[in-house]
């Protein structure tokens, strides 16, 4: 495995990952457990969906807590499953990209059969969590597997894989809303739209790190497409996400304190967009990671809306 000090990979084998038995460590790296940022970015839209509906919607506080715990565990499991699927599809591409060449399948630390067995185990764990949700959430959760399977193919056929990622990673928002309310409605749709646009913005920033390698091997990306107008594009994504988020709050009849906290988060997103620099991979990675805290801020906004 690559050294944690190398600047050419985002794999981290320090901390508890480094203390795992050598036979287990490649599975933890395959699941990206060394980088929990992806789990946070999958979990947070689900948390928004659970917390956004107004307190008069019939859901009790202890049920919201139960759902948050289930979605938290489910996010770890399904993010891991998504990473396994992605690396199974992309192992040949990953070998040609400096940031990803050390991934277990690309490097040969694991073989495809190992990944397949691990994936089945993760999907079974995800199923155990899914059956604890209401019927509508189960249907939505099962349908999301199609997106999980198809997302890794997007970069081969379209310049908009980051948009497909938004549909995939953002699916927790409608699922969380359905789990909390047992219904689909316009507020849910607007929250999903806000999530898709938010994730399109920050994943475009993330993709700026790989543009040279992507161009060399012929991989398409929204980052390559929008590199010449990065700030305008990311700003448009974040601005539209903010409008959709505020609209979702109004449709869900959330309390008044939702709005100032949400506006602060949107302002932070727009400030980030104004300083995007595709030529600085370290800045792009830092800005991508900053979206966890901004997403937590939006979750706080949703919770604040329950208090008024």
């Amino acid at each position: 495995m690559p050294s944690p000090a190398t600047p050419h990979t985002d794999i981290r084998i320090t901390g508890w990952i480094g203390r795992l038995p050598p036979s287990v460590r490649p599975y933890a790296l395959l699941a990206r457990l060394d980088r929990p940022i992806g789990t946070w970015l999958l979990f947070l839209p689900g948390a928004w969906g659970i917390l956004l509906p107004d307190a008069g919607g019939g859901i009790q506080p202890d049920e919201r807590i139960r759902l948050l715990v289930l979605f938290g565990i489910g996010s770890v499991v399904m993010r891991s499953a998504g990473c396994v699927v992605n690396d199974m599809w992309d192992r040949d591409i990953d070998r040609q990209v400096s940031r990803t060449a050390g991934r277990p399948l690309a490097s040969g630390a694991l073989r495809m059969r190992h990944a397949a067995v691990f994936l089945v185990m993760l999907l079974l764990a995800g199923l155990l969590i899914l059956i604890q949700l209401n019927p509508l959430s189960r249907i939505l959760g099962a349908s999301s597997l199609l997106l999980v399977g198809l997302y890794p193919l997007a970069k081969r056929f379209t310049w908009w894989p980051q948009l497909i990622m938004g549909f995939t990673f953002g699916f927790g928002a409608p699922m969380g809303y359905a789990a909390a309310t047992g219904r689909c409605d316009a507020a849910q749709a607007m929250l999903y739209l806000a999530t898709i646009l938010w994730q399109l913005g920050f994943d475009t920033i993330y993709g700026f790190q790989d543009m040279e390698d992507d161009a060399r091997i012929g991989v398409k990306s929204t980052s390559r497409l929008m590199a010449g107008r990065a700030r305008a594009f990311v700003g448009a994504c974040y601005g539209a996400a903010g409008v959709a988020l505020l609209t979702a709050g109004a449709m869900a009849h959330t309390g008044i304190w939702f709005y100032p906290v949400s506006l602060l988060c949107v302002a932070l997103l727009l400030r980030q967009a104004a300083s995007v620099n595709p030529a600085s991979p370290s800045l792009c990675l830092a800005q991508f990671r900053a979206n966890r805290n901004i997403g937590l801020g939006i979750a706080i906004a949703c919770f604040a809306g329950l208090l008024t």
Side-chain angles (χ1 to χ4, degrees):
M1 286 296 169
S3 164
T6 177
H8 301 297
T9 180
D10 51 10
I11 294 173
R12 295 292 178 266
I13 56 173
T14 55
W16 70 272
I17 291 286
R19 293 191 290 271
L20 291 173
S23 60
V24 175
R25 192 181 305 147
Y27 291 96
L29 294 175
L30 182 62
R32 308 286 200 279
L33 297 183
D34 57 319
R35 283 163 288 159
I37 181 65
T39 300
W40 278 107
L41 295 174
L42 181 61
F43 166 70
L44 286 167
W48 303 351
I50 293 166
L51 295 171
L52 181 69
D54 71 302
I59 183 172
Q60 299 300 312
D62 59 343
E63 176 62 10
R64 288 189 200 266
I65 293 172
R66 186 185 79 90
L67 290 174
L68 287 170
V69 171
L70 286 174
F71 270 66
I73 298 170
S75 295
V76 175
V77 170
M78 294 312 298
R79 189 260 181 149
S80 298
C83 290
V84 174
V85 172
N86 182 81
D87 286 10
M88 291 174 77
W89 277 113
D90 284 357
R91 63 194 185 280
D92 293 331
I93 292 175
D94 286 344
R95 293 188 186 103
Q96 304 176 64
V97 178
S98 60
R99 185 178 60 83
T100 59
R103 289 178 176 175
L105 288 175
S107 67
L110 291 176
R111 298 190 179 277
M112 285 288 284
R113 66 176 183 274
H114 301 135
V117 171
F118 187 40
L119 177 61
V120 170
M121 294 171 61
L122 290 169
L123 292 177
L124 288 174
L127 177 62
L128 290 176
I129 295 170
L130 188 64
I131 61 177
Q132 298 180 64
L133 302 178
N134 61 33
L136 178 58
S137 299
R138 295 174 196 169
I139 294 172
L140 291 175
S143 65
S144 71
L145 292 177
L146 178 62
L147 290 170
V148 172
L150 292 179
Y151 163 61
L153 292 175
K155 68 185 70 174
R156 293 167 169 82
F157 301 105
T158 175
W159 286 97
W160 294 93
Q162 276 74 17
L163 178 60
I164 307 302
M165 195 284 297
F167 277 98
T168 305
F169 256 57
F171 210 81
M175 269 194 70
Y177 192 96
T181 64
R183 67 175 185 270
C184 294
D185 60 23
Q188 178 195 44
M190 291 305 296
L191 183 64
Y192 189 26
L193 177 61
T195 306
I196 291 168
L197 292 167
W198 173 58
Q199 299 204 352
L200 172 59
F202 72 61
D203 200 49
T204 298
I205 294 175
Y206 186 75
F208 288 142
Q209 299 176 90
D210 296 332
M211 286 194 300
E212 290 186 9
D213 285 329
D214 287 348
R216 176 174 53 82
I217 62 180
V219 169
K220 300 177 180 178
S221 75
T222 314
S223 307
R224 288 182 60 200
L225 185 66
M226 295 296 172
R229 45 190 181 277
R231 293 179 180 178
F233 177 74
V234 174
C237 290
Y238 284 165
V243 172
L245 176 65
L246 295 171
T247 303
M251 290 180 169
H253 308 293
T254 192
I256 190 66
W257 283 108
F258 167 80
Y259 299 98
V261 182
S262 293
L263 285 170
L264 175 60
C265 294
V266 174
L268 291 173
L269 287 172
L270 293 176
R271 179 183 177 186
Q272 182 182 98
S275 60
V276 167
N277 181 5
S280 175
S282 60
L283 175 62
C284 291
L285 183 59
Q287 290 182 324
F288 166 76
R289 288 175 172 169
N291 277 275
R292 182 199 64 173
N293 293 338
I294 296 173
L296 282 169
I298 295 173
I300 292 171
C302 295
F303 178 74
L306 297 174
L307 303 179
T308 53

